[in-house]
Amino acid sequence: MVNQYWRECEWSSTGNGFTEWVIEISDKPGVEEPEPAFKYIGNMHGDEPVGRELLIRLANWICDNYLKDPLATLIVDNVHLHILPSMNPDGFSLGRRGNANNIDLNRDFPDQFFPRNDDIDSRQPETRAIMNWLRKIQFTASASLHGGALVANYPWDGTEDKRRIYYRCPDDDTFRFMASTYSRSHRNMSLSTEFPGGITNGASWYPIYGGMQDWNYIHAGCFELTLEISDNKWPNADELSTLWEYNKMSLLNLIASVVKMGVHGRIFSSDRGRPLPGSIMIKGINYTIKAGRLFADYHRLLTPAKGYEVVASVSGYKSKTTGILLGEAGMSLDFILDPEGTPVENLRTTCDCSYCGMSKLENLWGFHLEFYYIILIVILAFLCFLFIRRMGFYFLNHRQSPKRSFQA
């Protein structure tokens, strides 16, 4: 039964020849659907293995509880979930932070402020694998699991001048909400005395450059968090069950948030009804996401309980803007866009009215006839009014006239 809903994919090989495996969980594994995709990545740093263990437990729990638990069922039926338990098996086998080349993978991605070499072939094999992965699959959101602290971290991770300050990205409110979703569901993360609410802006904590979460947001349209899930990087094996219970609902609720929050829909053309893989923008937020290539589906994460103006645009079509009032739950909103510059001749050929093919004189004469009909109707209505009024006076006078008396 479980095998119907998950599969293991041989994903990539590391410098030392380890195979990286991704667990895919869906009601239709291997099939693209018009639904949001989410990914978890663990063990990016080889000496932070707790995420590796918890993600394996997460995959087992979801599959074991499908059709038994409503949250597991919601995830399988509505989210295309991918889980990479270990991004850095080389570092894990060596017991160190870096990979086989002793490179910190969370400093190896292209950076927005201090670019080094944007040639993908010059990067580490694990970094290249992630970048190629996101070219194939359009993820809505994701999270990377780390250890050494207890906090949910969100962009930006760095600053333009390398100062340690709060540095907001365009979707700061949404990221704060997502980070709080994880923190509040955790046993004690939100009770942190170091990080108010158990969340932090990355640059406010300590700036880093070449990080994976900023690259996801900038280049892949993916809202990624960096989750520090254990103060102790190498806890005893008998502590894993406790760490799992502390993080279980947080891991599940963060996945479910890509369905439960924001606005979701598809973009179609009005002329043929075909899907249009265009883009979605929110007025006032300087960030654009792309609709899916196959179904033209979009999944725009937004902070609940606010009003937004959603703009859909596709090259060659007229953009359309719709105002929404987003509640606590997510909502659906499809767009149907009209082609730009439709010729007048085309309008005439698709016209279904009785005036098509008439000359200007015929149209003018038809206008005059309509005008005369209106005058005639007004006159008839006035005559009816006079007639009713006259009859009313007649009956009133008749009822008020004195009765004659008759004598026997």
Side-chain angles (χ1 to χ4, degrees), residues 116-139:
R116 293 175 294 161
N117 186 354
D118 288 334
D119 180 12
I120 188 173
D121 293 331
S122 68
R123 302 190 180 278
Q124 297 302 302
E126 298 88 351
T127 307
R128 294 198 304 269
I130 292 287
M131 295 172 71
N132 289 328
W133 190 24
L134 270 70
R135 289 188 177 94
K136 296 176 183 177
I137 299 178
Q138 192 167 337
F139 288 98

mmCIF file of all heavy atoms in Angstrom, residues 116-139:
data_model
loop_
_atom_site.group_PDB
_atom_site.id
_atom_site.type_symbol
_atom_site.label_atom_id
_atom_site.label_comp_id
_atom_site.label_asym_id
_atom_site.label_seq_id
_atom_site.Cartn_x
_atom_site.Cartn_y
_atom_site.Cartn_z
ATOM 1 N N ARG A 116 30.996 35.561 -7.028
ATOM 2 C CA ARG A 116 32.359 35.098 -7.299
ATOM 3 C C ARG A 116 32.400 34.574 -8.733
ATOM 4 O O ARG A 116 32.536 35.354 -9.668
ATOM 5 C CB ARG A 116 32.748 34.006 -6.306
ATOM 6 C CG ARG A 116 32.875 34.534 -4.862
ATOM 7 C CD ARG A 116 33.146 33.393 -3.905
ATOM 8 N NE ARG A 116 32.003 32.499 -3.829
ATOM 9 C CZ ARG A 116 32.050 31.252 -3.370
ATOM 10 N NH1 ARG A 116 33.206 30.755 -2.973
ATOM 11 N NH2 ARG A 116 30.969 30.515 -3.321
ATOM 12 N N ASN A 117 32.252 33.301 -8.899
ATOM 13 C CA ASN A 117 32.257 32.719 -10.231
ATOM 14 C C ASN A 117 30.886 32.102 -10.467
ATOM 15 O O ASN A 117 30.493 31.160 -9.784
ATOM 16 C CB ASN A 117 33.357 31.650 -10.327
ATOM 17 C CG ASN A 117 33.503 31.126 -11.743
ATOM 18 O OD1 ASN A 117 32.721 31.465 -12.610
ATOM 19 N ND2 ASN A 117 34.511 30.294 -11.962
ATOM 20 N N ASP A 118 30.138 32.641 -11.415
ATOM 21 C CA ASP A 118 28.802 32.139 -11.681
ATOM 22 C C ASP A 118 28.794 30.934 -12.608
ATOM 23 O O ASP A 118 27.741 30.481 -13.045
ATOM 24 C CB ASP A 118 27.928 33.256 -12.280
ATOM 25 C CG ASP A 118 27.565 34.296 -11.233
ATOM 26 O OD1 ASP A 118 27.531 33.935 -10.044
ATOM 27 O OD2 ASP A 118 27.318 35.455 -11.605
ATOM 28 N N ASP A 119 29.951 30.418 -12.948
ATOM 29 C CA ASP A 119 30.045 29.219 -13.769
ATOM 30 C C ASP A 119 29.657 28.012 -12.917
ATOM 31 O O ASP A 119 30.349 27.661 -11.955
ATOM 32 C CB ASP A 119 31.465 29.059 -14.309
ATOM 33 C CG ASP A 119 31.617 27.807 -15.184
ATOM 34 O OD1 ASP A 119 30.581 27.222 -15.542
ATOM 35 O OD2 ASP A 119 32.759 27.447 -15.494
ATOM 36 N N ILE A 120 28.542 27.367 -13.270
ATOM 37 C CA ILE A 120 28.032 26.267 -12.449
ATOM 38 C C ILE A 120 29.011 25.105 -12.388
ATOM 39 O O ILE A 120 29.093 24.388 -11.387
ATOM 40 C CB ILE A 120 26.648 25.796 -12.980
ATOM 41 C CG1 ILE A 120 26.015 24.785 -12.008
ATOM 42 C CG2 ILE A 120 26.759 25.235 -14.377
ATOM 43 C CD1 ILE A 120 24.604 24.411 -12.349
ATOM 44 N N ASP A 121 29.792 24.922 -13.446
ATOM 45 C CA ASP A 121 30.728 23.791 -13.475
ATOM 46 C C ASP A 121 31.874 23.946 -12.476
ATOM 47 O O ASP A 121 32.575 22.979 -12.182
ATOM 48 C CB ASP A 121 31.295 23.623 -14.892
ATOM 49 C CG ASP A 121 30.236 23.189 -15.889
ATOM 50 O OD1 ASP A 121 29.281 22.507 -15.458
ATOM 51 O OD2 ASP A 121 30.340 23.542 -17.080
ATOM 52 N N SER A 122 32.070 25.180 -11.971
ATOM 53 C CA SER A 122 33.163 25.399 -11.018
ATOM 54 C C SER A 122 32.734 25.139 -9.578
ATOM 55 O O SER A 122 33.551 25.199 -8.668
ATOM 56 C CB SER A 122 33.677 26.839 -11.138
ATOM 57 O OG SER A 122 32.691 27.752 -10.681
ATOM 58 N N ARG A 123 31.467 24.831 -9.368
ATOM 59 C CA ARG A 123 30.967 24.633 -8.013
ATOM 60 C C ARG A 123 31.047 23.161 -7.614
ATOM 61 O O ARG A 123 31.291 22.280 -8.435
ATOM 62 C CB ARG A 123 29.542 25.169 -7.916
ATOM 63 C CG ARG A 123 29.492 26.650 -8.282
ATOM 64 C CD ARG A 123 28.174 27.313 -7.988
ATOM 65 N NE ARG A 123 28.273 28.723 -8.397
ATOM 66 C CZ ARG A 123 28.822 29.679 -7.669
ATOM 67 N NH1 ARG A 123 29.316 29.392 -6.478
ATOM 68 N NH2 ARG A 123 28.891 30.914 -8.116
ATOM 69 N N GLN A 124 30.790 22.911 -6.343
ATOM 70 C CA GLN A 124 30.865 21.557 -5.819
ATOM 71 C C GLN A 124 29.765 20.686 -6.434
ATOM 72 O O GLN A 124 28.690 21.187 -6.800
ATOM 73 C CB GLN A 124 30.728 21.582 -4.299
ATOM 74 C CG GLN A 124 31.846 22.337 -3.606
ATOM 75 C CD GLN A 124 33.215 21.760 -3.949
ATOM 76 O OE1 GLN A 124 33.479 20.577 -3.712
ATOM 77 N NE2 GLN A 124 34.105 22.589 -4.503
ATOM 78 N N PRO A 125 29.986 19.385 -6.546
ATOM 79 C CA PRO A 125 28.975 18.516 -7.184
ATOM 80 C C PRO A 125 27.630 18.553 -6.472
ATOM 81 O O PRO A 125 26.577 18.482 -7.115
ATOM 82 C CB PRO A 125 29.612 17.121 -7.123
ATOM 83 C CG PRO A 125 30.715 17.215 -6.114
ATOM 84 C CD PRO A 125 31.193 18.635 -6.165
ATOM 85 N N GLU A 126 27.649 18.677 -5.138
ATOM 86 C CA GLU A 126 26.376 18.747 -4.401
ATOM 87 C C GLU A 126 25.630 20.038 -4.723
ATOM 88 O O GLU A 126 24.401 20.038 -4.866
ATOM 89 C CB GLU A 126 26.651 18.655 -2.899
ATOM 90 C CG GLU A 126 27.306 17.361 -2.449
ATOM 91 C CD GLU A 126 28.824 17.397 -2.514
ATOM 92 O OE1 GLU A 126 29.399 18.372 -3.063
ATOM 93 O OE2 GLU A 126 29.447 16.456 -1.989
ATOM 94 N N THR A 127 26.357 21.142 -4.844
ATOM 95 C CA THR A 127 25.738 22.428 -5.184
ATOM 96 C C THR A 127 25.160 22.382 -6.596
ATOM 97 O O THR A 127 24.033 22.833 -6.829
ATOM 98 C CB THR A 127 26.783 23.557 -5.095
ATOM 99 O OG1 THR A 127 27.422 23.513 -3.822
ATOM 100 C CG2 THR A 127 26.131 24.909 -5.287
ATOM 101 N N ARG A 128 25.937 21.846 -7.528
ATOM 102 C CA ARG A 128 25.457 21.744 -8.906
ATOM 103 C C ARG A 128 24.197 20.886 -8.979
ATOM 104 O O ARG A 128 23.262 21.183 -9.728
ATOM 105 C CB ARG A 128 26.538 21.148 -9.809
ATOM 106 C CG ARG A 128 27.766 22.024 -9.982
ATOM 107 C CD ARG A 128 28.561 21.594 -11.203
ATOM 108 N NE ARG A 128 28.943 20.189 -11.158
ATOM 109 C CZ ARG A 128 30.071 19.731 -10.640
ATOM 110 N NH1 ARG A 128 30.936 20.583 -10.084
ATOM 111 N NH2 ARG A 128 30.356 18.448 -10.661
ATOM 112 N N ALA A 129 24.165 19.829 -8.197
ATOM 113 C CA ALA A 129 23.003 18.934 -8.214
ATOM 114 C C ALA A 129 21.738 19.660 -7.753
ATOM 115 O O ALA A 129 20.667 19.500 -8.344
ATOM 116 C CB ALA A 129 23.268 17.712 -7.346
ATOM 117 N N ILE A 130 21.862 20.454 -6.695
ATOM 118 C CA ILE A 130 20.713 21.224 -6.210
ATOM 119 C C ILE A 130 20.249 22.216 -7.273
ATOM 120 O O ILE A 130 19.042 22.347 -7.562
ATOM 121 C CB ILE A 130 21.071 21.979 -4.912
ATOM 122 C CG1 ILE A 130 21.287 21.000 -3.747
ATOM 123 C CG2 ILE A 130 19.989 23.001 -4.561
ATOM 124 C CD1 ILE A 130 20.027 20.381 -3.213
ATOM 125 N N MET A 131 21.172 22.927 -7.882
ATOM 126 C CA MET A 131 20.822 23.935 -8.879
ATOM 127 C C MET A 131 20.151 23.300 -10.088
ATOM 128 O O MET A 131 19.154 23.830 -10.612
ATOM 129 C CB MET A 131 22.074 24.719 -9.284
ATOM 130 C CG MET A 131 22.674 25.535 -8.144
ATOM 131 S SD MET A 131 24.278 26.290 -8.528
ATOM 132 C CE MET A 131 23.785 27.558 -9.678
ATOM 133 N N ASN A 132 20.650 22.153 -10.536
ATOM 134 C CA ASN A 132 20.024 21.459 -11.664
ATOM 135 C C ASN A 132 18.661 20.892 -11.292
ATOM 136 O O ASN A 132 17.739 20.863 -12.115
ATOM 137 C CB ASN A 132 20.936 20.326 -12.149
ATOM 138 C CG ASN A 132 22.176 20.838 -12.862
ATOM 139 O OD1 ASN A 132 22.137 21.886 -13.515
ATOM 140 N ND2 ASN A 132 23.289 20.128 -12.733
ATOM 141 N N TRP A 133 18.532 20.445 -10.051
ATOM 142 C CA TRP A 133 17.262 19.910 -9.556
ATOM 143 C C TRP A 133 16.167 20.969 -9.651
ATOM 144 O O TRP A 133 15.052 20.692 -10.084
ATOM 145 C CB TRP A 133 17.470 19.447 -8.122
ATOM 146 C CG TRP A 133 16.352 18.662 -7.506
ATOM 147 C CD1 TRP A 133 15.389 17.931 -8.150
ATOM 148 C CD2 TRP A 133 16.099 18.503 -6.113
ATOM 149 N NE1 TRP A 133 14.564 17.325 -7.252
ATOM 150 C CE2 TRP A 133 14.972 17.663 -5.995
ATOM 151 C CE3 TRP A 133 16.725 18.979 -4.967
ATOM 152 C CZ2 TRP A 133 14.451 17.300 -4.749
ATOM 153 C CZ3 TRP A 133 16.220 18.612 -3.733
ATOM 154 C CH2 TRP A 133 15.087 17.789 -3.627
ATOM 155 N N LEU A 134 16.487 22.180 -9.241
ATOM 156 C CA LEU A 134 15.478 23.243 -9.237
ATOM 157 C C LEU A 134 15.194 23.799 -10.628
ATOM 158 O O LEU A 134 14.243 24.557 -10.796
ATOM 159 C CB LEU A 134 15.885 24.364 -8.282
ATOM 160 C CG LEU A 134 15.358 24.152 -6.847
ATOM 161 C CD1 LEU A 134 16.062 23.014 -6.150
ATOM 162 C CD2 LEU A 134 15.429 25.423 -6.033
ATOM 163 N N ARG A 135 16.014 23.453 -11.593
ATOM 164 C CA ARG A 135 15.681 23.785 -12.972
ATOM 165 C C ARG A 135 14.624 22.821 -13.525
ATOM 166 O O ARG A 135 13.894 23.160 -14.454
ATOM 167 C CB ARG A 135 16.933 23.759 -13.844
ATOM 168 C CG ARG A 135 17.891 24.920 -13.582
ATOM 169 C CD ARG A 135 19.015 24.943 -14.609
ATOM 170 N NE ARG A 135 19.888 26.101 -14.395
ATOM 171 C CZ ARG A 135 21.002 26.073 -13.680
ATOM 172 N NH1 ARG A 135 21.374 24.925 -13.125
ATOM 173 N NH2 ARG A 135 21.741 27.149 -13.528
ATOM 174 N N LYS A 136 14.562 21.632 -12.950
ATOM 175 C CA LYS A 136 13.621 20.624 -13.428
ATOM 176 C C LYS A 136 12.283 20.688 -12.699
ATOM 177 O O LYS A 136 11.233 20.439 -13.285
ATOM 178 C CB LYS A 136 14.234 19.220 -13.241
ATOM 179 C CG LYS A 136 15.486 18.981 -14.073
ATOM 180 C CD LYS A 136 16.080 17.613 -13.759
ATOM 181 C CE LYS A 136 17.374 17.385 -14.537
ATOM 182 N NZ LYS A 136 18.000 16.065 -14.184
ATOM 183 N N ILE A 137 12.325 20.989 -11.406
ATOM 184 C CA ILE A 137 11.107 21.015 -10.593
ATOM 185 C C ILE A 137 10.929 22.400 -10.005
ATOM 186 O O ILE A 137 11.866 22.979 -9.445
ATOM 187 C CB ILE A 137 11.172 19.962 -9.465
ATOM 188 C CG1 ILE A 137 11.307 18.558 -10.055
ATOM 189 C CG2 ILE A 137 9.931 20.058 -8.571
ATOM 190 C CD1 ILE A 137 11.430 17.467 -9.011
ATOM 191 N N GLN A 138 9.723 22.927 -10.123
ATOM 192 C CA GLN A 138 9.420 24.268 -9.611
ATOM 193 C C GLN A 138 8.835 24.144 -8.206
ATOM 194 O O GLN A 138 7.643 23.922 -8.035
ATOM 195 C CB GLN A 138 8.435 24.973 -10.555
ATOM 196 C CG GLN A 138 8.276 26.442 -10.270
ATOM 197 C CD GLN A 138 7.565 27.147 -11.408
ATOM 198 O OE1 GLN A 138 7.559 26.685 -12.536
ATOM 199 N NE2 GLN A 138 6.958 28.274 -11.107
ATOM 200 N N PHE A 139 9.698 24.301 -7.210
ATOM 201 C CA PHE A 139 9.260 24.171 -5.829
ATOM 202 C C PHE A 139 8.643 25.477 -5.335
ATOM 203 O O PHE A 139 9.162 26.556 -5.604
ATOM 204 C CB PHE A 139 10.435 23.779 -4.932
ATOM 205 C CG PHE A 139 10.893 22.366 -5.121
ATOM 206 C CD1 PHE A 139 11.987 22.069 -5.920
ATOM 207 C CD2 PHE A 139 10.218 21.319 -4.513
ATOM 208 C CE1 PHE A 139 12.410 20.769 -6.101
ATOM 209 C CE2 PHE A 139 10.628 20.010 -4.680
ATOM 210 C CZ PHE A 139 11.724 19.723 -5.479
#
